[in-house]
Amino acid sequence: MTEYFDFTHPQLEGDYLEYYGRFRREDPVHWTPYGYWMLFKYDDADALLRSSDTSSDFPSNTHWASTRGGPTSPVMKSACHWMLMKDGDAHRRLRRGVGKLFTPRMLDQLRTRIPQIVNGLLDGIGPDGGEIDAMSALAVPLPVTVVSELMDIPPEDRDFFRSVTEPVGQMINRSIPPRDLIAMNKAEPKARAYLYKLIEKTRNEPPADTLVSLMLHSDEDYADEEVAANAALLYNAGYETTSNLIGNGLLALLQRPEALQALRDDLSLMPTAVEELSRFYPSARYVARILTEDMRFGDKVIPAGDAAFVAFESTGRDSERYPDPDRLDLGRRGVKSLAFSAGPHQCMGKHLALLEVGVLFSELLKRYSRIELAIDTPRYQPHFNLRTLKELPIRLYK
């Protein structure tokens, strides 16, 4: 294959499935001269994500750190504490603390709370429906409310906290434009200052089922820097990917009226439907690992020290893993979508995200007899790693 995969290729903002498909068919384990490998098939990606011969410790990479302001920059001081960027025992230590937020007991509590939030949002729209932007009315406020409550961030602070954590999330992009570099390093100290105040407040209160409280009262003795860094990380991760799954999932259903009707006729399909939607339109586009040992994929070997990216939008359309992969099959069994990653770094909030989406879609279908798209061509935010709709105008009919 004479073509190299290019993250800046215009086709990635248009017919991206054809672009991925070309590499998946002709060169699924693909080397580029741009400093990375690409994996396009499900089994190869799954093997990489589950392997113990990889690292997520990008902050230790001198070049990676320098493009984000250097090792002493505010965002790097935060990222070096992220469980997302840790390996082995250090990763497991942080994961144990954050994981207390996603236990079966916590999920049982949220099965009561999430419908209340959803019904409040839909009550605000009104019984007669009308035209709304599903992103600003539903897809964003639902997960923002859920994660804010899990972090004890009051309603009056949520817009501010989003404004100072969103720029920091840009640091996972492969390249950082100067504008984003400055914005993220200005925002991170504001987020950290807010969280230090929250930590001090929480330390003087009885234990509670919030992230900061659970980490402070853990046996692990987490430093305040670790609590603050992972709280900021979780806030972004806790709403952005769920918001995208709501928006992209609803778009997929509205573009396929027969699938939407099948779900309306049988809401028991919802658990498999939401998992299938995460395969069909994954919220995140890529994840990367640094290999610590040589790894063989078919007839190719990726050497230790090289970085490899998984393309989720490609792995979900791999016909060797999914029969008829371009068909949205809401009853598809054994999906095991990689959209929430796999292996040691699999998203701990996966079941919470699926719960939020399932409750929202169920209530929408119960309340409104007809839902239609009110836009011909959806437009997406310019983002390297997230498939985020700018808006999703829909019409709701009682």
Side-chain angles (χ1 to χ4, degrees):
M1 190 173 189
T2 58
E3 182 181 11
Y4 294 117
F5 182 85
D6 179 1
F7 285 117
T8 66
H9 197 286
Q11 202 170 353
L12 285 173
E13 302 308 319
D15 190 8
Y16 62 92
L17 292 177
E18 194 281 330
Y19 187 63
Y20 288 127
R22 196 159 66 243
F23 287 95
R24 191 171 58 247
R25 291 187 301 270
E26 300 178 25
D27 195 14
V29 181
H30 176 73
W31 176 84
T32 79
Y34 312 132
Y36 52 87
W37 292 73
M38 295 295 304
L39 299 181
F40 296 100
K41 286 193 171 182
Y42 182 100
D43 287 346
D44 293 334
D46 190 53
L48 179 80
L49 296 173
R50 294 181 185 278
S51 175
S52 60
D53 295 330
T54 65
S55 173
S56 297
D57 187 10
F58 286 91
S60 293
N61 181 286
T62 303
H63 174 72
W64 194 89
S66 68
T67 58
R68 287 148 180 83
T72 61
S73 67
V75 293
M76 286 304 302
K77 286 182 178 180
S78 178
C80 71
H81 295 298
W82 288 4
M83 65 176 180
L84 185 69
M85 303 288 185
K86 297 289 188 180
D87 302 323
D89 289 343
H91 172 248
R92 286 188 286 272
R93 173 179 169 273
L94 289 169
R95 194 174 174 94
R96 281 193 292 270
V98 176
K100 295 178 184 295
L101 207 58
F102 303 104
T103 61
R105 180 182 67 83
M106 289 294 293
L107 284 175
D108 283 343
Q109 293 179 15
L110 289 164
R111 285 190 180 93
T112 300
R113 177 59 183 143
I114 289 172
Q116 295 172 349
I117 299 170
V118 167
N119 283 319
L121 293 171
L122 294 178
D123 288 347
I125 294 170
D128 296 328
E131 184 167 322
I132 64 165
D133 171 22
M135 295 302 295
S136 61
L138 300 170
V140 172
L142 171 57
V144 164
T145 302
V146 172
V147 74
S148 295
E149 291 185 356
L150 290 174
M151 287 183 55
D152 193 27
I153 295 178
E156 62 271 19
D157 291 350
R158 291 170 191 173
D159 286 345
F160 164 77
F161 197 64
R162 277 185 64 199
S163 74
V164 295
T165 54
E166 276 187 5
V168 178
Q170 297 286 332
M171 74 175 302
I172 66 171
N173 292 352
R174 184 174 178 273
S175 60
I176 311 295
R179 182 188 299 271
D180 291 347
L181 175 64
I182 293 169
M184 67 177 64
N185 279 296
K186 282 185 175 181
E188 194 283 333
K190 297 175 184 177
R192 184 165 13 109
Y194 181 92
L195 286 165
Y196 279 171
K197 289 180 181 178
L198 179 61
I199 289 168
E200 194 57 37
K201 167 181 169 289
T202 305
R203 185 176 277 120
N204 296 314
E205 295 175 343
D209 289 330
T210 65
L211 176 65
V212 171
S213 183
L214 290 168
M215 292 190 75
L216 288 178
H217 292 95
S218 168
D219 294 334
E220 299 290 344
D221 192 25
Y222 297 112
D224 288 359
E225 294 86 351
E226 293 177 302
V227 177
N230 284 283
L233 170 66
L234 182 72
Y235 194 82
N236 263 339
Y239 87 84
E240 284 189 325
T241 53
T242 305
S243 172
N244 290 343
L245 181 54
I246 292 170
N248 294 325
L250 187 55
L251 175 64
L253 290 170
L254 294 176
Q255 289 173 329
R256 294 160 183 81
E258 71 288 350
L260 183 63
Q261 187 60 50
L263 191 58
R264 184 185 292 278
D265 291 342
D266 185 3
L267 289 177
S268 70
L269 288 172
M270 192 62 73
T272 58
V274 178
E275 182 93 11
E276 170 75 347
L277 288 166
S278 76
R279 171 197 76 85
F280 201 75
Y281 280 156
S283 298
R285 309 183 77 174
Y286 312 105
V287 72
R289 296 286 185 269
I290 302 167
L291 278 72
T292 57
E293 300 287 343
D294 294 355
M295 281 191 71
R296 177 174 291 278
F297 298 89
D299 61 353
K300 292 188 179 179
V301 174
I302 302 181
D306 281 12
F309 280 82
V310 168
F312 291 128
E313 290 167 316
S314 175
T315 61
R317 302 301 182 101
D318 183 358
S319 61
E320 293 181 10
R321 176 64 178 80
Y322 300 108
D324 198 5
D326 294 328
R327 182 171 69 91
L328 183 65
D329 179 0
L330 301 184
R332 193 186 296 269
R333 300 291 178 179
V335 175
K336 294 184 179 179
S337 167
L338 294 181
F340 293 93
S341 195
H345 284 273
Q346 185 177 43
C347 175
M348 287 187 293
K350 172 183 177 178
H351 296 294
L352 173 57
L354 297 179
L355 176 63
E356 291 179 57
V357 179
V359 170
L360 174 59
F361 286 4
S362 295
E363 290 302 319
L364 273 172
L365 293 173
K366 290 175 184 176
R367 286 200 185 208
Y368 301 104
S369 63
R370 197 162 89 251
I371 308 173
E372 297 176 346
L373 271 177
I375 190 172
D376 293 328
T377 305
R379 296 179 301 143
Y380 287 86
Q381 301 279 5
H383 197 292
F384 166 77
N385 196 43
L386 296 176
R387 179 66 73 172
T388 304
L389 286 159
K390 288 185 175 181
E391 59 181 0
L392 185 60
I394 62 173
R395 297 188 188 93
L396 303 171
Y397 297 89
K398 183 174 173 61

